[in-house]
Amino acid sequence: MGQDYYALLHITRNAEDAQIKKAYRKLALKNHPLNSIGPSSVETFRQIAEAYDVLSDPVKRSIYDKFGEEGLKGGIPLEFGSQTPWTTGYVFHGNPEKVFHEFFGGDNPFSEFFDEEGNETDLNFGGLRGRGVKKQDAPIERDLYLSLEDLFFGCTKKIKISRRVLNEDGYSSTIKDKILTIDVKPGWRQGTRITFEKEGDQGPNIIPADIIFIVKEKLHPRFRRENDNLFFVKPIPLGKALTCCTVEVKTLDDRLLNIPINDIIQDQRETRLQTSESQQQSQGKKPGLLTLSFP
């Protein structure tokens, strides 16, 4: 006679999906190798993982209910082949940790009770009974590359993330997409940090991590930025360097500045102008400097 998956999970044959999940959660935590040292705990842990793998899947459960473990694993009788897609037989992958990991959404429910070497830590809550204590995952940091124009004018960036979200049963989870909106303010600098609190993966025993975006400036074809100042490097032919000339500078907002140079340009000559090119308008700061450099 085959295995009774319902008996392994201590539930009835008419158990609903939420009851199956609740039963698996209780038994998986009880019999997990990190929590149980009994001689049969490893095999029990594997058996309840297989039972949950079958009963949580509507197709597998339907075949199991009709034909038992033999029909589920050996293939159903040929006369029923046209009525169901299940004809090849079920094989459990044999990895109960995979079922455990997927059920808890990537979260290890025991992580707050064991150190890096696997030794149990004393939280003064009676060992594993102190499961009400939650820890927040470490922040997740990602670079946000912005052009100089984005930082001058300001803009809105929408970023799609994928994260685990707890289901209604409070135990299992599903991967879902979410759009995060970043309102870039004029004058932001490289290194500005934008924090979305608790937008990381959800789990039954964790506080989701904060997601932090760190501003990085893209290289610009004309300008180099230092704090609130811009540097414009312009090669000048020798003939013009020895006479008066006018240098054209196209600004970030597409204006064309004609800057007169009335002196002879020597090596590494720099000309600084007061300009609105790098002002932080939203913060009421004074305009920065636009420095022309002639290598």
Side-chain angles (χ1 to χ4, degrees):
M1 183 175 179
Q3 294 187 92
D4 187 339
Y5 290 138
Y6 292 99
L8 285 171
L9 293 182
H10 302 172
I11 55 177
T12 62
R13 296 185 70 87
N14 61 352
E16 297 180 352
D17 187 58
Q19 295 173 304
I20 295 172
K21 291 177 179 177
K22 183 177 181 180
Y24 171 74
R25 179 182 185 276
K26 178 181 178 180
L27 292 170
L29 292 173
K30 178 181 178 181
N31 293 281
H32 193 282
L34 285 177
N35 191 31
S36 178
I37 58 175
S40 62
S41 61
V42 173
E43 179 59 20
T44 300
F45 184 63
R46 190 201 66 77
Q47 290 177 341
I48 61 177
E50 180 177 337
Y52 177 75
D53 189 53
V54 172
L55 298 183
S56 63
D57 185 294
V59 175
K60 297 175 188 173
R61 182 180 181 182
S62 176
I63 299 301
Y64 174 74
D65 286 345
K66 289 182 180 179
F67 306 105
E69 184 188 10
E70 293 84 355
L72 179 72
K73 294 184 176 180
I76 63 174
L78 293 176
E79 58 266 28
F80 296 97
S82 61
Q83 302 177 19
T84 175
W86 197 268
T87 58
T88 57
Y90 163 75
V91 178
F92 180 56
H93 51 67
N95 185 358
E97 288 288 356
K98 180 176 184 292
V99 178
F100 186 84
H101 179 87
E102 291 177 349
F103 180 87
F104 286 99
D107 167 49
N108 177 2
F110 303 100
S111 61
E112 66 263 40
F113 306 108
F114 295 88
D115 59 23
E116 294 181 353
E117 297 179 354
N119 300 314
E120 186 175 349
T121 58
D122 183 9
L123 297 179
N124 297 318
F125 287 102
L128 293 177
R129 288 177 294 175
R131 202 176 307 282
V133 179
K134 292 186 176 182
K135 289 185 178 180
Q136 185 172 21
D137 281 348
I140 301 170
E141 296 186 351
R142 295 289 183 269
D143 291 336
L144 176 64
Y145 283 90
L146 299 173
S147 68
L148 208 50
E149 286 80 3
D150 291 336
L151 296 169
F152 175 66
F153 294 105
C155 64
T156 298
K157 295 292 184 179
K158 295 184 181 295
I159 301 173
K160 184 172 74 172
I161 63 171
S162 297
R163 60 173 187 156
R164 287 191 173 273
V165 178
L166 278 176
N167 297 325
E168 291 183 1
D169 58 24
Y171 309 129
S172 61
S173 63
T174 305
I175 295 179
K176 294 185 177 180
D177 293 336
K178 182 173 183 178
I179 302 296
L180 301 180
T181 301
I182 299 177
D183 292 321
V184 178
K185 305 299 183 184
W188 272 8
R189 298 182 180 180
Q190 177 157 298
T192 298
R193 300 167 71 89
I194 307 98
T195 301
F196 291 88
E197 295 184 352
K198 301 178 183 178
E199 290 290 356
D201 287 342
Q202 298 178 0
N205 293 302
I206 60 170
I207 300 172
D210 294 341
I211 297 180
I212 302 174
F213 292 95
I214 304 174
V215 171
K216 301 289 185 182
E217 291 181 9
K218 296 180 181 178
L219 292 177
H220 196 274
R222 301 191 307 277
F223 296 106
R224 174 172 54 87
R225 181 184 181 185
E226 291 185 8
N227 297 323
D228 293 335
N229 304 318
L230 293 180
F231 289 79
F232 179 83
V233 179
K234 177 72 174 180
I236 298 294
L238 179 60
K240 289 188 177 182
L242 298 176
T243 61
C244 299
C245 64
T246 299
V247 176
E248 292 185 347
V249 179
K250 186 177 182 181
T251 65
L252 293 175
D253 56 358
D254 288 332
R255 290 179 294 116
L256 190 62
L257 301 180
N258 291 301
I259 302 174
I261 305 298
N262 299 318
D263 299 322
I264 295 177
I265 299 175
Q266 300 178 358
D267 291 343
Q268 298 299 321
R269 161 78 181 273
E270 290 187 350
T271 299
R272 296 184 178 182
L273 303 172
Q274 194 75 22
T275 174
S276 61
E277 281 308 289
S278 57
Q279 64 181 340
Q280 292 180 290
Q281 300 172 354
S282 64
Q283 301 179 22
K285 292 187 177 181
K286 294 181 178 180
L289 293 173
L290 172 61
T291 299
L292 277 62
S293 179
F294 306 105

